[in-house]
Amino acid sequence: MAAPVTPQTIGLWGCSKAHNKIDHKQAPRDIDEISHEPMRKLLAFSGIDRATFYTLVGRGFNLLSGLITLLLVAKFLTEQEQGYYYTFTGLLAMQLLFELGMSYVVMQFASHEMAHLQWGEDGLITGDRNALSRLRSITLLVIKWYSLVAALIVLVVLPTGWIIFSRSHPVGDVNWEWPWAWLVLSTAINVFLMPLLAMLEGCGKVTEIAVLRTTQNVVGSAFAWIVLMLHGGVAALPAMNAAMALTSLIWLWHTKFPLFKSLMESAVAGAQVSWRKEIWPLQWKVAVSWFSAYFIFQLFTPLTFIYRGAVEAGQMGMSIAIANALTSIALAWMNTKAPQFGALVAKKDFTTMDRLFRFALSRSLTVMVLLGIGLCTLNFILHAESNQFAVRLLDPAIFTLLIAATCCVYVTNAQSIYLRANKEEPFMYLNVASAALTSASTFFLGKLFGASGMIAGYLAISVFVGLAGGSAIFYAKRRTYRDGYPGPR
């Protein structure tokens, strides 16, 4: 079952090279720039190119900051506040219902157009005038679309959360009202900026976006930690969100304003992307997959909150946060190749695409499994020694099932990244089936058995529906593309 994938990065070592000459074998030569021989060999073997390296640096910080945040949450928030904290996060995933996968589609279309364009030394995009005009029209479309999405988030998510928190297990000493409103407003700003960053990634600015995201997380985490240590409670989450939004706004204004101004002056009559004829046929399928993914993963914490209360919801939320961090690390390999896959499809170079995919998947999955084993072992030790933090996590057996399911879903995610580069979404029906089964399992098994029932059902569906069904679709579609079907323009 393919969960939504935030578009991340492009290229191997040189972003501007990514669309002019794409050769997976280039990575080891670029790594030779590193003078330390053992480190160079390790990076070459592990498939860590420049884009992946900077992404891993950022996500490594995310993992470290996430751990610090988990510790501070456990120390400075009560068990009830922790439940609200992670339920906030789960409800905010409702933004997927409005976003409809547009950011991922933007990245794919931008990468296809960049096969005919290049970056100039002045920071502007040059090349084929028609491709440049089409890129302009994509930018205008997403600005209009995400203005509407941001408004809907405020008008729908804000009152929905208010109703849930007011009526479900009310706790008088948890001050959630104004932090919830602040969180929704800051999220609306972040969502509005999302497609602009996705377009830049699709155009090859991988390293810059990776550095920006690291900076966002440094600033956002610092604000969250300060609020937690000042006993600001659940306000730590909106403080982090607001700081990240402000960081993006400042960066875009100071570094990319000339680019977007230049794009607006690049119109060519007839050279425009049609939302109805080109974007929508892919977007609605991706949207269905993204909508399905909400039920696959984001229902767990809110339903645990409703069925079992804030304490168990906090355990579920913290465990899912750890699983998400694990997925984020592994996706550094695959997401950095997603726009490059699009450029390879535009050139019909499926041999290079297959080689790059296999290399990235094998390395990332190995890292994911090893880290997962380490996390499960650590959780077992914490519970065995009755550590004070053990009560904030799921039982070791349930936690292990969650990590196993996360690894299975990652493989399906990787397969979907490969296939979506063809401007298609062949996993849509599989995602709908997975979502229907997972939501039913979560509702019924969760009510009867709590977290253990939810996660056990999730693992079974991830293996027998997601992984098995996804692999069958992947190999069938891959064979179709390689046999000469070019896919949609």
Side-chain angles (χ1 to χ4, degrees), residues 93-125:
M94 289 176 64
Q95 70 188 38
L96 298 177
L97 309 184
F98 308 112
E99 203 270 343
L100 297 180
M102 186 66 160
S103 62
Y104 193 89
V105 175
V106 168
M107 183 270 293
Q108 289 292 352
F109 272 79
S111 68
H112 278 249
E113 297 307 324
M114 281 300 294
H116 313 288
L117 300 169
Q118 57 277 330
W119 286 91
E121 294 182 359
D122 56 357
L124 304 181
I125 298 176

PDB file of all heavy atoms in Angstrom, residues 93-125:
ATOM      1  N   ALA A  93      -3.208  15.592   9.738  1.00  0.00           N
ATOM      2  CA  ALA A  93      -3.034  14.827   8.506  1.00  0.00           C
ATOM      3  C   ALA A  93      -4.263  14.941   7.614  1.00  0.00           C
ATOM      4  O   ALA A  93      -4.233  14.532   6.456  1.00  0.00           O
ATOM      5  CB  ALA A  93      -2.758  13.362   8.825  1.00  0.00           C
ATOM      6  N   MET A  94      -5.339  15.522   8.142  1.00  0.00           N
ATOM      7  CA  MET A  94      -6.528  15.763   7.316  1.00  0.00           C
ATOM      8  C   MET A  94      -6.214  16.683   6.151  1.00  0.00           C
ATOM      9  O   MET A  94      -6.987  16.773   5.194  1.00  0.00           O
ATOM     10  CB  MET A  94      -7.655  16.363   8.169  1.00  0.00           C
ATOM     11  CG  MET A  94      -8.289  15.395   9.148  1.00  0.00           C
ATOM     12  SD  MET A  94      -9.527  16.216  10.187  1.00  0.00           S
ATOM     13  CE  MET A  94     -10.741  16.686   8.956  1.00  0.00           C
ATOM     14  N   GLN A  95      -5.082  17.397   6.223  1.00  0.00           N
ATOM     15  CA  GLN A  95      -4.709  18.273   5.111  1.00  0.00           C
ATOM     16  C   GLN A  95      -4.567  17.483   3.811  1.00  0.00           C
ATOM     17  O   GLN A  95      -4.729  18.030   2.721  1.00  0.00           O
ATOM     18  CB  GLN A  95      -3.400  19.001   5.407  1.00  0.00           C
ATOM     19  CG  GLN A  95      -2.179  18.106   5.411  1.00  0.00           C
ATOM     20  CD  GLN A  95      -0.932  18.830   5.889  1.00  0.00           C
ATOM     21  OE1 GLN A  95      -0.976  19.645   6.790  1.00  0.00           O
ATOM     22  NE2 GLN A  95       0.193  18.518   5.284  1.00  0.00           N
ATOM     23  N   LEU A  96      -4.272  16.171   3.924  1.00  0.00           N
ATOM     24  CA  LEU A  96      -4.163  15.332   2.738  1.00  0.00           C
ATOM     25  C   LEU A  96      -5.474  15.278   1.971  1.00  0.00           C
ATOM     26  O   LEU A  96      -5.489  15.098   0.757  1.00  0.00           O
ATOM     27  CB  LEU A  96      -3.741  13.912   3.124  1.00  0.00           C
ATOM     28  CG  LEU A  96      -2.381  13.739   3.799  1.00  0.00           C
ATOM     29  CD1 LEU A  96      -2.176  12.287   4.181  1.00  0.00           C
ATOM     30  CD2 LEU A  96      -1.271  14.204   2.886  1.00  0.00           C
ATOM     31  N   LEU A  97      -6.585  15.431   2.702  1.00  0.00           N
ATOM     32  CA  LEU A  97      -7.880  15.360   2.052  1.00  0.00           C
ATOM     33  C   LEU A  97      -8.097  16.553   1.119  1.00  0.00           C
ATOM     34  O   LEU A  97      -8.885  16.472   0.177  1.00  0.00           O
ATOM     35  CB  LEU A  97      -9.000  15.317   3.108  1.00  0.00           C
ATOM     36  CG  LEU A  97      -8.845  14.263   4.215  1.00  0.00           C
ATOM     37  CD1 LEU A  97     -10.060  14.278   5.119  1.00  0.00           C
ATOM     38  CD2 LEU A  97      -8.630  12.878   3.624  1.00  0.00           C
ATOM     39  N   PHE A  98      -7.407  17.664   1.391  1.00  0.00           N
ATOM     40  CA  PHE A  98      -7.559  18.861   0.566  1.00  0.00           C
ATOM     41  C   PHE A  98      -6.418  19.014  -0.437  1.00  0.00           C
ATOM     42  O   PHE A  98      -6.599  19.542  -1.522  1.00  0.00           O
ATOM     43  CB  PHE A  98      -7.621  20.111   1.455  1.00  0.00           C
ATOM     44  CG  PHE A  98      -8.641  20.030   2.549  1.00  0.00           C
ATOM     45  CD1 PHE A  98      -8.268  19.958   3.873  1.00  0.00           C
ATOM     46  CD2 PHE A  98      -9.995  20.016   2.244  1.00  0.00           C
ATOM     47  CE1 PHE A  98      -9.210  19.877   4.889  1.00  0.00           C
ATOM     48  CE2 PHE A  98     -10.950  19.939   3.242  1.00  0.00           C
ATOM     49  CZ  PHE A  98     -10.560  19.868   4.571  1.00  0.00           C
ATOM     50  N   GLU A  99      -5.233  18.568  -0.032  1.00  0.00           N
ATOM     51  CA  GLU A  99      -4.052  18.741  -0.867  1.00  0.00           C
ATOM     52  C   GLU A  99      -4.132  17.907  -2.139  1.00  0.00           C
ATOM     53  O   GLU A  99      -3.653  18.292  -3.203  1.00  0.00           O
ATOM     54  CB  GLU A  99      -2.808  18.368  -0.049  1.00  0.00           C
ATOM     55  CG  GLU A  99      -1.523  18.973  -0.543  1.00  0.00           C
ATOM     56  CD  GLU A  99      -0.834  18.082  -1.549  1.00  0.00           C
ATOM     57  OE1 GLU A  99      -1.185  16.885  -1.612  1.00  0.00           O
ATOM     58  OE2 GLU A  99       0.033  18.574  -2.262  1.00  0.00           O
ATOM     59  N   LEU A 100      -4.760  16.735  -2.039  1.00  0.00           N
ATOM     60  CA  LEU A 100      -5.038  15.874  -3.191  1.00  0.00           C
ATOM     61  C   LEU A 100      -3.805  15.518  -4.017  1.00  0.00           C
ATOM     62  O   LEU A 100      -3.874  15.371  -5.241  1.00  0.00           O
ATOM     63  CB  LEU A 100      -6.099  16.527  -4.098  1.00  0.00           C
ATOM     64  CG  LEU A 100      -7.487  16.739  -3.470  1.00  0.00           C
ATOM     65  CD1 LEU A 100      -8.423  17.381  -4.472  1.00  0.00           C
ATOM     66  CD2 LEU A 100      -8.064  15.430  -2.956  1.00  0.00           C
ATOM     67  N   GLY A 101      -2.670  15.380  -3.358  1.00  0.00           N
ATOM     68  CA  GLY A 101      -1.477  14.909  -4.046  1.00  0.00           C
ATOM     69  C   GLY A 101      -0.876  15.874  -5.037  1.00  0.00           C
ATOM     70  O   GLY A 101      -0.011  15.491  -5.827  1.00  0.00           O
ATOM     71  N   MET A 102      -1.302  17.128  -5.005  1.00  0.00           N
ATOM     72  CA  MET A 102      -0.862  18.084  -6.019  1.00  0.00           C
ATOM     73  C   MET A 102       0.644  18.321  -5.962  1.00  0.00           C
ATOM     74  O   MET A 102       1.290  18.476  -7.005  1.00  0.00           O
ATOM     75  CB  MET A 102      -1.601  19.405  -5.829  1.00  0.00           C
ATOM     76  CG  MET A 102      -1.345  20.436  -6.910  1.00  0.00           C
ATOM     77  SD  MET A 102      -2.006  19.925  -8.518  1.00  0.00           S
ATOM     78  CE  MET A 102      -2.100  21.490  -9.369  1.00  0.00           C
ATOM     79  N   SER A 103       1.244  18.354  -4.781  1.00  0.00           N
ATOM     80  CA  SER A 103       2.677  18.637  -4.674  1.00  0.00           C
ATOM     81  C   SER A 103       3.504  17.564  -5.371  1.00  0.00           C
ATOM     82  O   SER A 103       4.507  17.864  -6.024  1.00  0.00           O
ATOM     83  CB  SER A 103       3.099  18.764  -3.208  1.00  0.00           C
ATOM     84  OG  SER A 103       2.873  17.557  -2.506  1.00  0.00           O
ATOM     85  N   TYR A 104       3.080  16.314  -5.238  1.00  0.00           N
ATOM     86  CA  TYR A 104       3.815  15.235  -5.906  1.00  0.00           C
ATOM     87  C   TYR A 104       3.671  15.340  -7.422  1.00  0.00           C
ATOM     88  O   TYR A 104       4.639  15.141  -8.167  1.00  0.00           O
ATOM     89  CB  TYR A 104       3.317  13.875  -5.422  1.00  0.00           C
ATOM     90  CG  TYR A 104       4.236  12.741  -5.826  1.00  0.00           C
ATOM     91  CD1 TYR A 104       5.289  12.365  -5.013  1.00  0.00           C
ATOM     92  CD2 TYR A 104       4.060  12.071  -7.035  1.00  0.00           C
ATOM     93  CE1 TYR A 104       6.154  11.341  -5.388  1.00  0.00           C
ATOM     94  CE2 TYR A 104       4.912  11.051  -7.422  1.00  0.00           C
ATOM     95  CZ  TYR A 104       5.953  10.688  -6.594  1.00  0.00           C
ATOM     96  OH  TYR A 104       6.802   9.694  -6.970  1.00  0.00           O
ATOM     97  N   VAL A 105       2.485  15.683  -7.881  1.00  0.00           N
ATOM     98  CA  VAL A 105       2.259  15.842  -9.316  1.00  0.00           C
ATOM     99  C   VAL A 105       3.092  16.996  -9.859  1.00  0.00           C
ATOM    100  O   VAL A 105       3.662  16.915 -10.953  1.00  0.00           O
ATOM    101  CB  VAL A 105       0.757  16.062  -9.597  1.00  0.00           C
ATOM    102  CG1 VAL A 105       0.519  16.343 -11.073  1.00  0.00           C
ATOM    103  CG2 VAL A 105      -0.047  14.840  -9.164  1.00  0.00           C
ATOM    104  N   VAL A 106       3.173  18.077  -9.094  1.00  0.00           N
ATOM    105  CA  VAL A 106       3.985  19.232  -9.496  1.00  0.00           C
ATOM    106  C   VAL A 106       5.430  18.815  -9.711  1.00  0.00           C
ATOM    107  O   VAL A 106       6.074  19.186 -10.703  1.00  0.00           O
ATOM    108  CB  VAL A 106       3.902  20.342  -8.425  1.00  0.00           C
ATOM    109  CG1 VAL A 106       4.971  21.409  -8.674  1.00  0.00           C
ATOM    110  CG2 VAL A 106       2.528  20.973  -8.435  1.00  0.00           C
ATOM    111  N   MET A 107       5.968  18.059  -8.776  1.00  0.00           N
ATOM    112  CA  MET A 107       7.345  17.610  -8.886  1.00  0.00           C
ATOM    113  C   MET A 107       7.558  16.772 -10.138  1.00  0.00           C
ATOM    114  O   MET A 107       8.538  16.946 -10.863  1.00  0.00           O
ATOM    115  CB  MET A 107       7.728  16.812  -7.643  1.00  0.00           C
ATOM    116  CG  MET A 107       9.175  16.341  -7.598  1.00  0.00           C
ATOM    117  SD  MET A 107       9.382  14.703  -8.345  1.00  0.00           S
ATOM    118  CE  MET A 107       8.483  13.686  -7.187  1.00  0.00           C
ATOM    119  N   GLN A 108       6.617  15.867 -10.431  1.00  0.00           N
ATOM    120  CA  GLN A 108       6.751  15.009 -11.607  1.00  0.00           C
ATOM    121  C   GLN A 108       6.695  15.823 -12.901  1.00  0.00           C
ATOM    122  O   GLN A 108       7.521  15.632 -13.812  1.00  0.00           O
ATOM    123  CB  GLN A 108       5.636  13.958 -11.612  1.00  0.00           C
ATOM    124  CG  GLN A 108       5.776  12.891 -10.545  1.00  0.00           C
ATOM    125  CD  GLN A 108       6.972  11.987 -10.797  1.00  0.00           C
ATOM    126  OE1 GLN A 108       7.609  12.047 -11.831  1.00  0.00           O
ATOM    127  NE2 GLN A 108       7.291  11.161  -9.820  1.00  0.00           N
ATOM    128  N   PHE A 109       5.743  16.748 -13.017  1.00  0.00           N
ATOM    129  CA  PHE A 109       5.627  17.537 -14.238  1.00  0.00           C
ATOM    130  C   PHE A 109       6.826  18.460 -14.409  1.00  0.00           C
ATOM    131  O   PHE A 109       7.316  18.651 -15.529  1.00  0.00           O
ATOM    132  CB  PHE A 109       4.318  18.341 -14.210  1.00  0.00           C
ATOM    133  CG  PHE A 109       3.140  17.588 -14.761  1.00  0.00           C
ATOM    134  CD1 PHE A 109       2.490  16.636 -13.991  1.00  0.00           C
ATOM    135  CD2 PHE A 109       2.700  17.807 -16.054  1.00  0.00           C
ATOM    136  CE1 PHE A 109       1.413  15.923 -14.486  1.00  0.00           C
ATOM    137  CE2 PHE A 109       1.624  17.107 -16.566  1.00  0.00           C
ATOM    138  CZ  PHE A 109       0.976  16.154 -15.786  1.00  0.00           C
ATOM    139  N   ALA A 110       7.306  19.036 -13.312  1.00  0.00           N
ATOM    140  CA  ALA A 110       8.481  19.911 -13.401  1.00  0.00           C
ATOM    141  C   ALA A 110       9.703  19.127 -13.865  1.00  0.00           C
ATOM    142  O   ALA A 110      10.495  19.611 -14.688  1.00  0.00           O
ATOM    143  CB  ALA A 110       8.749  20.566 -12.046  1.00  0.00           C
ATOM    144  N   SER A 111       9.872  17.905 -13.363  1.00  0.00           N
ATOM    145  CA  SER A 111      11.036  17.105 -13.755  1.00  0.00           C
ATOM    146  C   SER A 111      10.998  16.751 -15.238  1.00  0.00           C
ATOM    147  O   SER A 111      12.031  16.712 -15.906  1.00  0.00           O
ATOM    148  CB  SER A 111      11.117  15.830 -12.900  1.00  0.00           C
ATOM    149  OG  SER A 111      10.058  14.935 -13.195  1.00  0.00           O
ATOM    150  N   HIS A 112       9.806  16.504 -15.775  1.00  0.00           N
ATOM    151  CA  HIS A 112       9.690  16.204 -17.204  1.00  0.00           C
ATOM    152  C   HIS A 112      10.040  17.428 -18.055  1.00  0.00           C
ATOM    153  O   HIS A 112      10.700  17.302 -19.081  1.00  0.00           O
ATOM    154  CB  HIS A 112       8.275  15.718 -17.530  1.00  0.00           C
ATOM    155  CG  HIS A 112       8.059  14.262 -17.230  1.00  0.00           C
ATOM    156  ND1 HIS A 112       7.869  13.317 -18.210  1.00  0.00           N
ATOM    157  CD2 HIS A 112       8.016  13.589 -16.051  1.00  0.00           C
ATOM    158  CE1 HIS A 112       7.703  12.115 -17.652  1.00  0.00           C
ATOM    159  NE2 HIS A 112       7.784  12.262 -16.341  1.00  0.00           N
ATOM    160  N   GLU A 113       9.587  18.618 -17.631  1.00  0.00           N
ATOM    161  CA  GLU A 113       9.908  19.829 -18.388  1.00  0.00           C
ATOM    162  C   GLU A 113      11.391  20.162 -18.299  1.00  0.00           C
ATOM    163  O   GLU A 113      11.990  20.666 -19.251  1.00  0.00           O
ATOM    164  CB  GLU A 113       9.070  21.014 -17.890  1.00  0.00           C
ATOM    165  CG  GLU A 113       7.570  20.854 -18.066  1.00  0.00           C
ATOM    166  CD  GLU A 113       7.178  20.519 -19.489  1.00  0.00           C
ATOM    167  OE1 GLU A 113       7.817  21.034 -20.431  1.00  0.00           O
ATOM    168  OE2 GLU A 113       6.222  19.719 -19.668  1.00  0.00           O
ATOM    169  N   MET A 114      12.012  19.859 -17.159  1.00  0.00           N
ATOM    170  CA  MET A 114      13.425  20.189 -16.977  1.00  0.00           C
ATOM    171  C   MET A 114      14.345  19.318 -17.818  1.00  0.00           C
ATOM    172  O   MET A 114      15.535  19.592 -17.914  1.00  0.00           O
ATOM    173  CB  MET A 114      13.808  20.073 -15.503  1.00  0.00           C
ATOM    174  CG  MET A 114      13.391  21.266 -14.645  1.00  0.00           C
ATOM    175  SD  MET A 114      14.115  22.839 -15.176  1.00  0.00           S
ATOM    176  CE  MET A 114      15.855  22.560 -14.849  1.00  0.00           C
ATOM    177  N   ALA A 115      13.797  18.276 -18.433  1.00  0.00           N
ATOM    178  CA  ALA A 115      14.601  17.492 -19.373  1.00  0.00           C
ATOM    179  C   ALA A 115      14.997  18.347 -20.572  1.00  0.00           C
ATOM    180  O   ALA A 115      15.937  18.006 -21.299  1.00  0.00           O
ATOM    181  CB  ALA A 115      13.818  16.261 -19.840  1.00  0.00           C
ATOM    182  N   HIS A 116      14.308  19.489 -20.773  1.00  0.00           N
ATOM    183  CA  HIS A 116      14.597  20.381 -21.898  1.00  0.00           C
ATOM    184  C   HIS A 116      15.101  21.748 -21.434  1.00  0.00           C
ATOM    185  O   HIS A 116      15.181  22.675 -22.238  1.00  0.00           O
ATOM    186  CB  HIS A 116      13.329  20.573 -22.739  1.00  0.00           C
ATOM    187  CG  HIS A 116      12.618  19.290 -23.057  1.00  0.00           C
ATOM    188  ND1 HIS A 116      13.111  18.367 -23.958  1.00  0.00           N
ATOM    189  CD2 HIS A 116      11.470  18.753 -22.561  1.00  0.00           C
ATOM    190  CE1 HIS A 116      12.289  17.328 -24.024  1.00  0.00           C
ATOM    191  NE2 HIS A 116      11.293  17.537 -23.179  1.00  0.00           N
ATOM    192  N   LEU A 117      15.414  21.875 -20.146  1.00  0.00           N
ATOM    193  CA  LEU A 117      15.838  23.157 -19.582  1.00  0.00           C
ATOM    194  C   LEU A 117      17.108  22.983 -18.769  1.00  0.00           C
ATOM    195  O   LEU A 117      17.540  21.856 -18.495  1.00  0.00           O
ATOM    196  CB  LEU A 117      14.724  23.738 -18.703  1.00  0.00           C
ATOM    197  CG  LEU A 117      13.377  24.031 -19.389  1.00  0.00           C
ATOM    198  CD1 LEU A 117      12.308  24.329 -18.354  1.00  0.00           C
ATOM    199  CD2 LEU A 117      13.510  25.181 -20.374  1.00  0.00           C
ATOM    200  N   GLN A 118      17.704  24.089 -18.354  1.00  0.00           N
ATOM    201  CA  GLN A 118      18.881  24.036 -17.488  1.00  0.00           C
ATOM    202  C   GLN A 118      18.947  25.310 -16.651  1.00  0.00           C
ATOM    203  O   GLN A 118      18.346  26.330 -16.991  1.00  0.00           O
ATOM    204  CB  GLN A 118      20.178  23.879 -18.300  1.00  0.00           C
ATOM    205  CG  GLN A 118      20.435  24.953 -19.327  1.00  0.00           C
ATOM    206  CD  GLN A 118      19.715  24.708 -20.627  1.00  0.00           C
ATOM    207  OE1 GLN A 118      19.469  23.561 -21.010  1.00  0.00           O
ATOM    208  NE2 GLN A 118      19.340  25.792 -21.312  1.00  0.00           N
ATOM    209  N   TRP A 119      19.698  25.211 -15.560  1.00  0.00           N
ATOM    210  CA  TRP A 119      19.888  26.365 -14.686  1.00  0.00           C
ATOM    211  C   TRP A 119      21.052  27.207 -15.194  1.00  0.00           C
ATOM    212  O   TRP A 119      22.102  26.685 -15.563  1.00  0.00           O
ATOM    213  CB  TRP A 119      20.177  25.911 -13.256  1.00  0.00           C
ATOM    214  CG  TRP A 119      18.974  25.382 -12.541  1.00  0.00           C
ATOM    215  CD1 TRP A 119      18.555  24.086 -12.490  1.00  0.00           C
ATOM    216  CD2 TRP A 119      18.028  26.143 -11.793  1.00  0.00           C
ATOM    217  NE1 TRP A 119      17.404  23.983 -11.750  1.00  0.00           N
ATOM    218  CE2 TRP A 119      17.057  25.244 -11.301  1.00  0.00           C
ATOM    219  CE3 TRP A 119      17.907  27.498 -11.477  1.00  0.00           C
ATOM    220  CZ2 TRP A 119      15.985  25.647 -10.520  1.00  0.00           C
ATOM    221  CZ3 TRP A 119      16.836  27.904 -10.701  1.00  0.00           C
ATOM    222  CH2 TRP A 119      15.882  26.988 -10.231  1.00  0.00           C
ATOM    223  N   GLY A 120      20.863  28.535 -15.173  1.00  0.00           N
ATOM    224  CA  GLY A 120      21.932  29.447 -15.532  1.00  0.00           C
ATOM    225  C   GLY A 120      22.714  29.873 -14.303  1.00  0.00           C
ATOM    226  O   GLY A 120      22.289  29.651 -13.158  1.00  0.00           O
ATOM    227  N   GLU A 121      23.861  30.467 -14.522  1.00  0.00           N
ATOM    228  CA  GLU A 121      24.700  30.905 -13.406  1.00  0.00           C
ATOM    229  C   GLU A 121      24.049  32.020 -12.591  1.00  0.00           C
ATOM    230  O   GLU A 121      24.406  32.252 -11.435  1.00  0.00           O
ATOM    231  CB  GLU A 121      26.061  31.376 -13.931  1.00  0.00           C
ATOM    232  CG  GLU A 121      26.896  30.259 -14.557  1.00  0.00           C
ATOM    233  CD  GLU A 121      28.255  30.748 -15.015  1.00  0.00           C
ATOM    234  OE1 GLU A 121      28.523  31.966 -14.847  1.00  0.00           O
ATOM    235  OE2 GLU A 121      29.031  29.933 -15.527  1.00  0.00           O
ATOM    236  N   ASP A 122      23.084  32.712 -13.190  1.00  0.00           N
ATOM    237  CA  ASP A 122      22.394  33.789 -12.483  1.00  0.00           C
ATOM    238  C   ASP A 122      21.234  33.285 -11.636  1.00  0.00           C
ATOM    239  O   ASP A 122      20.487  34.074 -11.055  1.00  0.00           O
ATOM    240  CB  ASP A 122      21.889  34.834 -13.483  1.00  0.00           C
ATOM    241  CG  ASP A 122      20.979  34.217 -14.550  1.00  0.00           C
ATOM    242  OD1 ASP A 122      20.793  32.979 -14.529  1.00  0.00           O
ATOM    243  OD2 ASP A 122      20.483  34.970 -15.400  1.00  0.00           O
ATOM    244  N   GLY A 123      21.063  31.965 -11.563  1.00  0.00           N
ATOM    245  CA  GLY A 123      19.996  31.395 -10.750  1.00  0.00           C
ATOM    246  C   GLY A 123      18.652  31.344 -11.443  1.00  0.00           C
ATOM    247  O   GLY A 123      17.635  31.028 -10.809  1.00  0.00           O
ATOM    248  N   LEU A 124      18.624  31.612 -12.751  1.00  0.00           N
ATOM    249  CA  LEU A 124      17.391  31.542 -13.519  1.00  0.00           C
ATOM    250  C   LEU A 124      17.407  30.298 -14.402  1.00  0.00           C
ATOM    251  O   LEU A 124      18.458  29.727 -14.677  1.00  0.00           O
ATOM    252  CB  LEU A 124      17.232  32.795 -14.384  1.00  0.00           C
ATOM    253  CG  LEU A 124      17.267  34.138 -13.652  1.00  0.00           C
ATOM    254  CD1 LEU A 124      17.063  35.282 -14.626  1.00  0.00           C
ATOM    255  CD2 LEU A 124      16.232  34.184 -12.527  1.00  0.00           C
ATOM    256  N   ILE A 125      16.232  29.885 -14.854  1.00  0.00           N
ATOM    257  CA  ILE A 125      16.102  28.706 -15.711  1.00  0.00           C
ATOM    258  C   ILE A 125      16.042  29.154 -17.167  1.00  0.00           C
ATOM    259  O   ILE A 125      15.303  30.076 -17.517  1.00  0.00           O
ATOM    260  CB  ILE A 125      14.839  27.902 -15.352  1.00  0.00           C
ATOM    261  CG1 ILE A 125      14.925  27.401 -13.912  1.00  0.00           C
ATOM    262  CG2 ILE A 125      14.656  26.723 -16.296  1.00  0.00           C
ATOM    263  CD1 ILE A 125      13.672  26.682 -13.437  1.00  0.00           C
TER     264      ILE A 125
END
